[in-house]
Amino acid sequence: MSCTFRSTTKQGQFHLPQKVRWNEPGAQYSLVEKEKLPRFPFSIDQEGDIYVNQPLDREEKDSYVFYAVAKDELGKPLAFPLQIHVKVNDINDNPPTCPSTMTIFEVQENEKIGSNIGTLAAHDMDEANTINSVLEYRIVDQTPKSPREELFLVQTYTGVFQLALQSLKKQDTPQYHLTVEVSDKDFKTLCHVQINVIDINDQIPIFEKPDYGNLTLAEDTAVGSIILVIQATDADEPFTGSSKILYRITQGDSEGRLGIDTDPQNNTGYVMIKKPLDFETAAIHNIVFQAENPEPLVPGVEYNASSFATFNLFVTDVNEAPRFSQQVFQAKVSEDVAVGTKVGNVTAKDPEGLDISYSLRGDMRGWLKIDPVTGEIFSVAPLDREAESLYRVQVVATEVGGSSLSSIASFHLTLMDVNDNPPRLVKEYTGLLFCYPLREAGSLIFEATDDDQQSSRGPHFTFSLGSESLQNDWEVSKINGTHAKLSTKHTGFEERVYNIPILINDGGRPPLEGTVSLPVTFCTCVEGSCFQPTDHQPGMPTVGMAVGILLTTFLVIGIILAVVFIQMKNKGRDNVENAQASEVKPLRN
């Protein structure tokens, strides 16, 4: 069962054009919601008539679905619940609303007549695509009204704004305020539109004067020094890309020795030295400045002579120190080059054309010498990569005559490795021990290294016994490229130290071998530890030493006690004898 009802905001009880009725009298009727709602605006009486007892609002809810239930006097359902669907029809009860308090559009100065400026999209909450929600737009006021009224128009049903009569000038009026009436068939609403006129770059920068005269500077004037202030103006809107001025040098400074910074507040240009001046390269600079905007000019407007200015810079000579062709010279040689081999060279020139004398500083190892005239560098002693793989010295270039000014550069000599170091043990092995007597074969691990430069894969040593006479007692086996294992072949070793020679080969080009000695000790173990009277830590006595010290201490104490006892006994005897002598001594008259 379905029915419709018009949306209303009136309060009271309204009878729906529907009723439910059980065939027999005595039925009890009730309504049951299909969905839980904040409010349920319907009721049913015991005659089966359904009523609307609260206002309906289509914009809040446009349809309801609920059930009518009939029960007997005992509350037993008489039939299945009857579903009722109510549709709320729209009435025009909502006025149009503006999209915002103020809608803002922008239009450029040179916008063509008829160009779209923007769209005012008002809204109506009534049912869409019905006469209740159809909106009409009309401009009712324009402020200011200069240079004339009706500069803008709005499409009646779309809300699209257009430029109506002429192009605008920001200098004349930078902003317009429009009042727009938006209406449906019953309501009217006033919306407000602001149209900002946007400046375009139709004015070129103009220098305050076309010629900034002459300036003379010494070539050693400090980098960063401001040498000139220039000024141009622009009639476009201030603090925009159309009026901002950038200065650049278009002629007279091909090496970029000058730079120009612009003050963003007043477009003042500060000309400064960005790189050192050079009298020998260019004594006169005929500079041409150009002032331009970061934004492009509009079509039909071009930069002209007003945007250019000139300036003459004269550079005077100053006696300067020699200049190296580069600050760091690098060379690479093998570490086994013969003494007297040329390993590199440096070059410098004096700006005034004077002769130069070269010398070295910081040659701490005394490996190099330099030809004072040519700048060629030679080895004067054997080189050693293992001592220093990158050898750094300073080269001094001093002008001959004049004021003897000098300059310094660096010379870096990279020494390439040759295989000139035999393998060796990575450390001194002094604690290789076996408990005596040896009950089963055992082994010890040791590690080798090489002072030469290793490949990316690391060293690859081979290991062997250094004496054939030991092959019945010992065996050496390789674990990896750096580690090997020394193993016993039997258990019949004496309690002593064995020095086992090991031959290690590095496999280089050419290969080098080194013989090392591994001291292996067989000694008696006490509770799993091997004690050696001759090989203990400094300051730590062995067991024998401890016992000896203890016995010596007891002996010294005994002697001291004996001496004291004897002295006490002798003293007692003397006292007795003295007493007896006193008793028999005759008296004198």
Side-chain angles (χ1 to χ4, degrees):
M1 178 182 293
S2 64
C3 56
T4 59
F5 200 78
R6 297 186 68 190
S7 173
T8 179
T9 56
K10 296 180 180 180
Q11 295 186 353
Q13 192 175 62
F14 301 88
H15 181 266
L16 282 175
Q18 295 293 338
K19 70 184 305 179
V20 294
R21 184 69 54 84
W22 182 244
N23 295 331
E24 298 178 4
Q28 303 293 322
Y29 300 104
S30 63
L31 299 179
V32 178
E33 300 177 56
K34 185 176 181 180
E35 56 180 330
K36 188 64 177 176
L37 301 174
R39 64 185 184 91
F40 185 66
F42 304 101
S43 63
I44 187 170
D45 63 13
Q46 294 310 308
E47 299 298 325
D49 293 321
I50 300 174
Y51 295 89
V52 177
N53 53 22
Q54 295 183 29
L56 301 179
D57 187 354
R58 188 203 66 84
E59 285 70 42
E60 176 184 337
K61 187 170 179 60
D62 62 358
S63 67
Y64 296 85
V65 178
F66 54 89
Y67 296 97
V69 180
K71 298 181 180 180
D72 62 16
E73 295 178 350
L74 299 177
K76 181 179 179 181
L78 297 174
F80 288 108
L82 177 64
Q83 178 174 287
I84 299 175
H85 182 267
V86 177
K87 180 181 180 182
V88 182
N89 287 335
D90 183 48
I91 63 173
N92 190 23
D93 59 348
N94 290 281
T97 58
C98 303
S100 61
T101 304
M102 178 71 70
T103 301
I104 299 176
F105 300 138
E106 292 182 345
V107 57
Q108 286 189 338
E109 285 183 322
N110 64 339
E111 199 73 58
K112 295 180 179 179
I113 296 175
S115 297
N116 291 349
I117 298 173
T119 301
L120 179 65
H123 180 66
D124 194 308
M125 292 181 64
D126 291 313
E127 187 173 0
N129 301 318
T130 68
I131 192 172
N132 294 333
S133 60
V134 174
L135 302 180
E136 296 184 13
Y137 300 86
R138 184 171 67 92
I139 298 174
V140 296
D141 184 58
Q142 169 191 309
T143 304
K145 296 178 173 54
S146 61
R148 56 186 299 181
E149 293 187 272
E150 299 181 355
L151 288 172
F152 309 95
L153 63 84
V154 60
Q155 298 291 337
T156 302
Y157 295 104
T158 63
V160 175
F161 280 74
Q162 295 174 300
L163 191 62
L165 298 177
Q166 67 180 62
S167 296
L168 307 177
K169 281 291 184 182
K170 184 179 179 68
Q171 291 87 343
D172 298 335
T173 306
Q175 191 176 86
Y176 291 90
H177 291 274
L178 305 179
T179 301
V180 182
E181 179 186 270
V182 185
S183 60
D184 60 18
K185 70 184 186 67
D186 295 312
F187 299 96
K188 294 179 181 180
T189 300
L190 295 180
C191 296
H192 299 281
V193 175
Q194 176 179 303
I195 299 178
N196 297 326
V197 182
I198 304 302
D199 182 53
I200 59 173
N201 194 13
D202 57 355
Q203 302 292 321
I204 64 172
I206 298 175
F207 271 102
E208 63 177 5
K209 57 182 178 180
D211 188 352
Y212 283 86
N214 304 326
L215 179 65
T216 300
L217 294 175
E219 63 177 336
D220 62 351
T221 302
V223 172
S225 301
I226 297 175
I227 63 173
L228 182 67
V229 178
I230 58 179
Q231 183 71 63
T233 58
D234 192 302
D236 288 309
E237 182 181 0
F239 306 109
T240 66
S242 298
S243 63
K244 181 179 180 180
I245 296 177
L246 299 178
Y247 299 96
R248 65 186 181 96
I249 297 174
T250 60
Q251 295 180 27
D253 186 27
S254 59
E255 296 185 356
R257 300 184 184 275
L258 302 181
I260 308 174
D261 285 344
T262 303
D263 187 328
Q265 299 300 317
N266 52 27
N267 282 330
T268 300
Y270 298 93
V271 184
M272 65 182 62
I273 297 177
K274 189 168 64 173
K275 295 180 182 179
L277 302 176
D278 187 4
F279 171 83
E280 288 72 26
T281 301
I284 301 175
H285 296 268
N286 297 315
I287 304 296
V288 176
F289 301 118
Q290 180 180 1
E292 55 189 2
N293 302 128
E295 286 192 6
L297 297 172
V298 298
V301 179
E302 302 289 342
Y303 293 108
N304 57 37
S306 299
S307 299
F308 293 85
T310 60
F311 165 66
N312 297 318
L313 174 61
F314 299 93
V315 181
T316 59
D317 187 29
V318 174
N319 186 27
E320 299 171 273
R323 297 176 184 173
F324 281 98
S325 58
Q326 57 198 68
Q327 284 304 304
V328 179
F329 295 86
Q330 301 186 59
K332 184 184 296 186
V333 297
S334 177
E335 65 174 324
D336 63 346
V337 296
V339 173
T341 301
K342 177 183 175 181
V343 297
N345 69 284
V346 298
T347 56
K349 291 184 178 180
D350 184 73
E352 287 73 42
L354 298 176
D355 292 335
I356 293 175
S357 176
Y358 299 97
S359 60
L360 294 180
R361 285 184 188 173
D363 184 15
M364 305 302 296
R365 297 185 179 274
W367 284 355
L368 305 175
K369 73 173 183 178
I370 188 169
D371 187 306
V373 177
T374 65
E376 296 175 311
I377 300 175
F378 300 88
S379 66
V380 293
L383 307 178
D384 185 1
R385 188 203 67 84
E386 286 68 41
E388 199 154 359
S389 60
L390 179 61
Y391 194 53
R392 299 179 177 91
V393 297
Q394 290 183 324
V395 184
V396 181
T398 305
E399 64 182 15
V400 179
S403 56
S404 299
L405 296 177
S406 61
S407 298
I408 298 177
S410 296
F411 178 72
H412 294 174
L413 180 62
T414 300
L415 301 181
M416 296 181 293
D417 188 47
V418 296
N419 194 27
D420 57 352
N421 289 278
R424 59 178 176 82
L425 291 176
V426 74
K427 64 179 181 178
E428 182 180 358
Y429 288 90
T430 59
L432 303 178
L433 307 174
F434 286 109
C435 289
Y436 177 84
L438 189 64
R439 290 183 172 82
E440 60 181 357
S443 61
L444 301 167
I445 295 175
F446 61 93
E447 181 183 359
T449 187
D450 191 323
D451 292 326
D452 290 314
Q453 186 176 12
Q454 304 299 332
S455 66
S456 59
R457 296 179 298 171
H460 292 274
F461 299 124
T462 58
F463 306 87
S464 61
L465 286 173
S467 174
E468 294 182 0
S469 63
L470 300 177
Q471 292 182 356
N472 294 328
D473 301 326
W474 302 91
E475 179 183 15
V476 176
S477 56
K478 179 177 179 179
I479 297 176
N480 54 34
T482 57
H483 292 73
K485 180 170 61 176
L486 175 65
S487 305
T488 62
K489 284 188 173 183
H490 56 79
T491 59
F493 291 89
E494 299 177 5
E495 187 178 8
R496 66 180 180 86
V497 177
Y498 291 81
N499 290 303
I500 312 301
I502 305 295
L503 187 64
I504 308 175
N505 189 301
D506 64 7
R509 296 182 181 179
L512 291 180
E513 289 184 338
T515 301
V516 300
S517 180
L518 284 177
V520 181
T521 302
F522 289 82
C523 62
T524 302
C525 295
V526 178
E527 295 182 355
S529 299
C530 182
F531 298 96
Q532 296 187 92
T534 60
D535 188 17
H536 60 275
Q537 296 181 5
M540 292 289 293
T542 63
V543 174
M545 293 175 63
V547 173
I549 293 171
L550 185 60
L551 291 176
T552 302
T553 302
F554 288 155
L555 179 60
V556 171
I557 294 174
I559 293 172
I560 294 173
L561 291 175
V563 171
V564 172
F565 177 76
I566 293 171
Q567 289 179 347
M568 291 177 64
K569 185 176 181 181
N570 292 335
K571 184 176 181 180
R573 184 182 299 114
D574 293 340
N575 291 336
V576 172
E577 292 177 353
N578 292 334
Q580 292 176 351
S582 299
E583 292 177 357
V584 299
K585 187 177 181 180
L587 297 174
R588 295 182 180 178
N589 294 329

